[in-house]
Amino acid sequence: MTRYRAPKRDIRFVVRELFDFETHYRKLPAYSEVDENLIHTILDEYAAFCEEVVAPLNRSGDEEGCTFSDGEVRAPKGFKEAYRQYAEAGWTSLPWEREHGGQGLPLSLNKLLMEILAASNVAFSLYLSAQPGALETLSVFGSPAQRETYAPKLVDGTWNATMCLTEPHCGTDLGLLRTKAEPDTDGAFRISGTKVFITGGEHDFNENIVHLVLARIENAPAGTAGISLFVVPKFDVDADGNPGKRNAVSCGSIEHKMGVHGSSTCMMHFEGAKGHLLGEPNRGLHAMFTFINASRISAAMQGVAHAEFGFQKSLAYARERLQMRAAAGPERPDHAADPIIVHPNVRRMLLTQKALAEGNRMMTYDLAMQLDRAAHDPRTDDRRRARQRLDFMTPIAKAFATETGFEAANLALQCFGGHGYIREWGVEQNVRDARVATLYEGTTGVQALDLLGRKVLGTQGTLLAEFIDEIERFCEAHHDSSLMSLFVSRLAGLTREWSAVTERVGQRASVNPEEIGAASVSYLMYAGYVCLAYYWARAAAVAATAAERTFESGEEPDFYESKIATARFYYDHILPRTRACVGVIDAGAESLMALNAESFQF
Amino acid sequence: MTRYRAPKRDIRFVVRELFDFETHYRKLPAYSEVDENLIHTILDEYAAFCEEVVAPLNRSGDEEGCTFSDGEVRAPKGFKEAYRQYAEAGWTSLPWEREHGGQGLPLSLNKLLMEILAASNVAFSLYLSAQPGALETLSVFGSPAQRETYAPKLVDGTWNATMCLTEPHCGTDLGLLRTKAEPDTDGAFRISGTKVFITGGEHDFNENIVHLVLARIENAPAGTAGISLFVVPKFDVDADGNPGKRNAVSCGSIEHKMGVHGSSTCMMHFEGAKGHLLGEPNRGLHAMFTFINASRISAAMQGVAHAEFGFQKSLAYARERLQMRAAAGPERPDHAADPIIVHPNVRRMLLTQKALAEGNRMMTYDLAMQLDRAAHDPRTDDRRRARQRLDFMTPIAKAFATETGFEAANLALQCFGGHGYIREWGVEQNVRDARVATLYEGTTGVQALDLLGRKVLGTQGTLLAEFIDEIERFCEAHHDSSLMSLFVSRLAGLTREWSAVTERVGQRASVNPEEIGAASVSYLMYAGYVCLAYYWARAAAVAATAAERTFESGEEPDFYESKIATARFYYDHILPRTRACVGVIDAGAESLMALNAESFQF
C-alpha cells in the first residue's frame, strides 16, 4: 500500500514561486522575521512528523474506531501517544501569542500544515481542530483573566477544546437552540441542555477539555439574538489554574459514522454545568463566528487533503497495474500488458484529481495569507480588504474544495476498479472520510446561500467586483504572451460572464427571494471553477517563466512543463463544467418550486 | 427510520401508461397470455415479499456482515431463511422454461423486479444475481445433458451459481487470465487457478453451487482467443443428478469491503477441480458475454434502486425536519421553523433524485422489453433490431444509471446534513452500497469504451442513427402541442448535436485512436442525459393526456402534474450538464496525453 508523502515540491511551488510567502511576511511586522528557510524547515519537520507518526495510525484507527463505556471515550490505539508527541514537539503552539507560550509564527503557515495533517489521518486531525478556533475566540472575546486561565494550557496542548453548537433539533438553524444558562450566585452560569455531534467532546488525551457552548440566558430574546457563548470546562479550574472539581458535563454516547472512525463524535449532556460567559450576553453567535470561519478554512484544507491522498494512491496504482494495451500500440512490449496510466480515461481521472488537488491548494493558501493580513497588516485599509476577501472566499473554498475533494476521492477509488472497493487499499476509507467534509462546518447548501445571498448580493456585488478586478488586471498583464493568451482570453470571458450572471440572478431575486436558494449551489460551483481557472492561469504564468530558466540550466524543467500541461487540462476538461452551471443558474426557481410538498411522491 | 416501499404507482405508470407492457407481451407468442392483471399481481406480491422479508435484513446485514472460518462462509442472520422463502415462493423460477420447472413468464418482468429487490437489500440481491446469467448461458451454450443436470435445480433455487472471471492480476483484461484446464481421462477437465471477487462464491444457502469458470485449455492460443468456459460444481453431480463428491474448489478468504457487507465476495481456489466444458473450446469469452450482458442490465437496475431508496428516505426527512423559514415567509407559523422541503436547494436535491430514479426506471424498463423481443419476437428482423438496441443501450444504462444512482444516493445523504453521516439513518449505507455499482460488471470506463468504440463508431453509427430516428419521429409527432413543444424543440436539437458530436469524434479517432478513450466517459454521460430527456418527454406526453382526462374525472390529476413538473425540472436543471459533456468531448485527447507517466508527480 502506497504511503502518503507530503507534496513538498508542490507546496514549495505555491509558497515560494506562486505567492512568495517570504515577501508577504516581510510586509507584516508580526511576521517579518519569518524567512524562506524557516518556512521550509517547519514544513519539512511537520511533514516528517505526520508521515512517521500520524499517517501509520490512519488505517488502524479506521478499523478500530472509538469505544465508549460508562461516559468514557477511548480513541484508537496510538492516538493518545501521537497527540502527546505532537504537543511536545510544539506543533499546537505554532501561531499563538508568545505571552501565552506560543511561537508567534504566521497563521497562514499553521493553516497550510492542516492539509498535511488531514491527508495523514483526518480522524486524528479532528482532535486538533477545535483548539485554533477556541484560542482565536478567546483572544477576541475573552477577558484578560479568561485568556490567562485557558490560553496557555490550550497553546501547549495540555488542555483541549470543543465547539458545542448543534442540538438534536437544530444544526443550521441555531436560532432554535434550547440549552439554558441560569445565572449563579458567583457570577457564573448553570448550563443545561444536550449538544450533539461534538467532535472530541470526550476522550482521554488531555487533563481538561474546554467546551465553548452556545446557550440562552433566561429571558433572552427568541431566535439568534438571544444566544450567548460560555466556557464550560470539563474540570472547573481552581485558584491555581489547575483542573479542580469535575463539572456537570458528560458524554452520553458516541456516534457510529460512515467514516472518520478514529474521531469521537459525542452527545454531550450539560446538567447544570458551571459556565463562564465569554463576550457579551446575547452576542454568542457573533463570537462563535470567529470560531466557525476558522473551522471552515480548515475544512477546505481537508478537501485538498482528500484529493491529494487519493491522487497519490491512484497514481501509484495506475503506474503498476498492467491491463490492456495502449491504443497507439504496446508501450511495454516486455510485459503482457501496459500500465493502465497509458489509457486516456485513466489519465482523465488522474489529471482531474491532480488539477483539483493542486488548484484547491492554491486557492486555500491564498485564503490563508488573508488570515495574516486581516490580523496583522499595518494598514487599516489592507486589513479591511483582507477581511472582505476572507468573507468572500471562505464559503467558496469550503464548499468547492470539499465537494471536489469528494469527487477526487471517488475518482481515485475508480482508478482501482473493483480493488478500490476493498478496504485493504485504503482508498475507500478516503471516500468515507471525505464524505463528511461537505456536511460539517456548514453544508454546501449553507455555504452557497452565504456566498450568493450575503457575500455577493448582500454587498451589492462589491466583494465580487473587487475580486473580478484582480483577475482582470492579471488578464491584462498577460494577454500579449502567446502561451498565456490561451488562458487569459477564456478567463477574461468568464469574469465578464460572472458579472452578468450575477446581475441576472440579482434581478430575479429582487422579485422572488427563492431565486437565491435556487441558483446558490450552481453559483458557488461556478465561482469555484472560475477561481481555480484564475489560480491555474497564475500557476502557468509562473511556470512558463521558470521553464525557460530551467530549460537553460537543465534543472527540473519537467516540473514546470507538468504545471503548464495540468493548467491546459484544467481549461480543456474541467472548465466546460461552467457551461452546465450557467445553464442551471439561468433556469431559475420556477421548476424547483412548482410541486407542492405532497406531490413529490405517490 | 423510513421503511422502503416499492414505488408501485410509478412502476404502474411506466409499465401500463408509458410502455403498455400488455400490448407488448401480446405481440410475443411466448408471453401472449400475460395480461395487466397478472403483471400487477406479480408486482404486488413481489413488492410485499421484499418489503416484509428482505428489507428488514438490510441494516442488520450491513452491521453484521459475512463471516469466514475454515473455508466456510456464513451470511448475516436471516439471509439464509429469507433466501429459502424466496425460492419456495417461486421467485427464482419466474422467467425460465417450463420444461425446467420455470414459469415461462417474461424476462422483462423478472428484470424489473430486480429494482425492488436491490432497493430492499442490495447485498441480499447479490445472492440471486448469478442465477439468471448462468441459466441463460446454459440455455444457449449448454448441451441438453448439461441443461438437464443443472437447469432445474438452478430454476427452483435448490442450487446457486457464480461467475468466475476475475483473477488477482486481471479484471478488465481477461486476455491475461491464467487459470488452467487440463483434459482428464473421462472427458472432463481439471481446473487449477485462483479467482477473486466471486460474489456468493461460498455460503450455506444451497446444497450446491455451480461455478461458471473461465480457464485456458493447455496449448490454447494466447489472449482472449484461448479462453474456454467450464461448469465447476462445488459438489460433483452423481448419476442421479444429486450432489456427490466435494470438488477441489474452496474459498480461501472473503473481502472486507466498503459496502454490501451482507454479500460474500470470495477468493476461490481451484485445485484440480473437475470441470465440464460449456460450449466450444476457446469460445468461452463469447459464451460468458451472455452472462455479462444480463448482469449489466441488473446492475443498471441497482442504480435505479439506489436513487429510489435515497429519494424515499430524504423526502421523508425533508418533510419532517424543521429548520429555518421559507424565503417567501413562514409556511408553518404554528411551528418554530418550516420543514426543509420549502428550501429551493433541498428541493433541487430531492428533484434531482426523483428525476434520475424515475428517468432511469423508464430507460431500464425499455431495455428490459428488448430482452423479450430479442428472445421471442416472431419476426427475425425485429429480433435483430431488439438485439441491436440492447447492444447500444446496455452500456449507457449500466454506466449512466449507476453513476447517477451514486450521485442520487449522495444527494439523499446531503439532505440529512450531519445526520446523514450517522449510520442509524441508513442513508450512508446506501451510499456505500451504491459505490460498487460503477465498478463491477465492467467499470464506467469499460462501458464508455464499449459504447463509443464498439457500438457507435464500430457500427459506423448505424445503431445510433436508428435510435436517433426513433427520437426524431417522437419529436415530429409532438411538435405542435404547446406543452410538448417546450420539450421536443430542445430534444430535437440534442439529437442533431449528438450526430454532429459523434461525427467529430469519429473523424479525430480515425487519425488518433486515443481520441476514443479521451471522449468516452463524457460521451456516455451525454448519451445518458439525452436518453433520459427522451424518456422524460415521452412521460410528459403521456401525463399531459392523462392529466386532461383525470382533471375532468377528479381522479389523481396531481400524479400527472407532478410528472410534467419533474420533466420540466429535468430539462431545466439536469439537461444543462450536456453543455459540459460536449465541451469536454470536443477538447479531445491532446491535454490528456501531453504528460509522460513520470511527470504526473514530483
Side-chain angles (χ1 to χ4, degrees), chain A residues 171 173 256 258 319 321 323-324 347 354 410 414 421 423 432 435 438 562 592 595 597 599-600, chain B residues 168 171 173 256 258 319 323-324 347 354 410 414 421 423 432 435 438 562 592 595 597 599-600:
Chain A
D173 193 355
H256 301 279
M258 183 182 191
R319 282 168 169 166
R321 175 76 171 176
Q323 209 82 169
M324 313 299 281
R347 289 173 156 260
K354 180 178 170 67
N410 271 296
Q414 193 72 20
Y421 201 65
R423 296 184 68 123
R432 287 185 290 104
R435 186 62 188 86
T438 70
S562 165
L592 285 178
L595 281 181
S599 299
F600 273 68
Chain B
D173 193 355
H256 300 279
M258 183 182 192
R319 282 170 170 164
Q323 209 81 168
M324 312 299 281
R347 288 173 158 260
K354 180 178 169 68
N410 271 296
Q414 193 72 19
Y421 201 64
R423 296 184 68 122
R432 288 185 290 105
R435 187 63 189 84
T438 69
S562 165
L592 285 177
L595 282 181
S599 299
F600 273 69

Side-chain angles (χ1 to χ4, degrees), chain B residues 471-544:
Chain B
I471 302 180
E472 283 175 348
R473 283 196 301 276
F474 171 81
C475 291
E476 276 164 33
H478 290 86
H479 80 275
D480 55 359
S481 139
S482 66
L483 169 81
M484 289 304 295
S485 67
L486 284 168
F487 299 115
V488 298
S489 63
R490 293 179 66 184
L491 185 56
L494 285 166
T495 58
R496 284 191 296 274
E497 183 181 62
W498 195 354
S499 300
V501 163
T502 306
E503 199 151 314
R504 293 200 293 272
V505 177
Q507 276 166 2
R508 292 204 309 273
S510 66
V511 181
N512 174 9
E514 276 162 347
E515 293 286 345
I516 298 175
S520 60
V521 170
S522 289
Y523 186 91
L524 183 141
M525 294 306 288
Y526 178 88
Y529 289 120
V530 178
C531 286
L532 255 58
Y534 171 47
Y535 292 112
W536 270 115
R538 288 179 65 177
V542 170

Side-chain angles (χ1 to χ4, degrees), chain B residues 6 34 37 90 110 148 188 214 223 355 367-368 371 373 381 395 440-441 455 509 583:
Chain B
V34 180
N37 194 27
N110 193 56
E148 256 169 66
L214 289 182
L367 200 55
L371 288 173
R373 290 193 186 120
D381 259 16
Y440 60 19
E441 315 304 351
K455 306 300 173 55

Side-chain angles (χ1 to χ4, degrees), chain A residues 19 27 66 74 120 124 153 170 255 264 295-296 317 340 363 367 369-370 409 450 461 466 479 495 505 508 520 522:
Chain A
F19 292 136
K27 291 181 189 156
C66 293
R74 201 162 49 199
S120 300
F124 178 80
K153 305 270 193 169
C170 69
E255 304 289 351
S264 69
S295 303
R296 286 179 176 176
Y317 187 79
I340 60 173
M363 174 163 65
L367 200 55
M369 290 166 74
Q370 312 303 327
D450 181 42
E466 209 155 307
H479 81 275
T495 58
V505 178
R508 291 203 309 273
S520 59
S522 288

Side-chain angles (χ1 to χ4, degrees), chain A residues 9-26:
Chain A
R9 180 64 189 92
D10 196 59
I11 291 175
R12 211 163 69 225
F13 173 77
V14 182
V15 164
R16 184 162 64 190
E17 301 172 70
L18 184 67
F19 292 136
D20 190 2
F21 271 47
E22 187 179 82
T23 306
H24 159 74
Y25 292 145
R26 218 180 290 132

Side-chain angles (χ1 to χ4, degrees), chain B residues 44-86:
Chain B
D44 287 349
E45 280 179 23
Y46 193 82
F49 182 89
C50 287
E51 289 166 4
E52 285 157 30
V53 178
V54 181
L57 304 172
N58 189 38
R59 184 156 145 67
S60 58
D62 179 63
E63 292 290 336
E64 188 185 338
C66 293
T67 49
F68 174 79
S69 162
D70 281 341
E72 307 276 315
V73 173
R74 200 162 49 198
K77 201 162 162 259
F79 274 43
K80 181 178 175 173
E81 295 70 24
Y83 176 88
R84 189 49 42 215
Q85 284 179 263
Y86 189 94

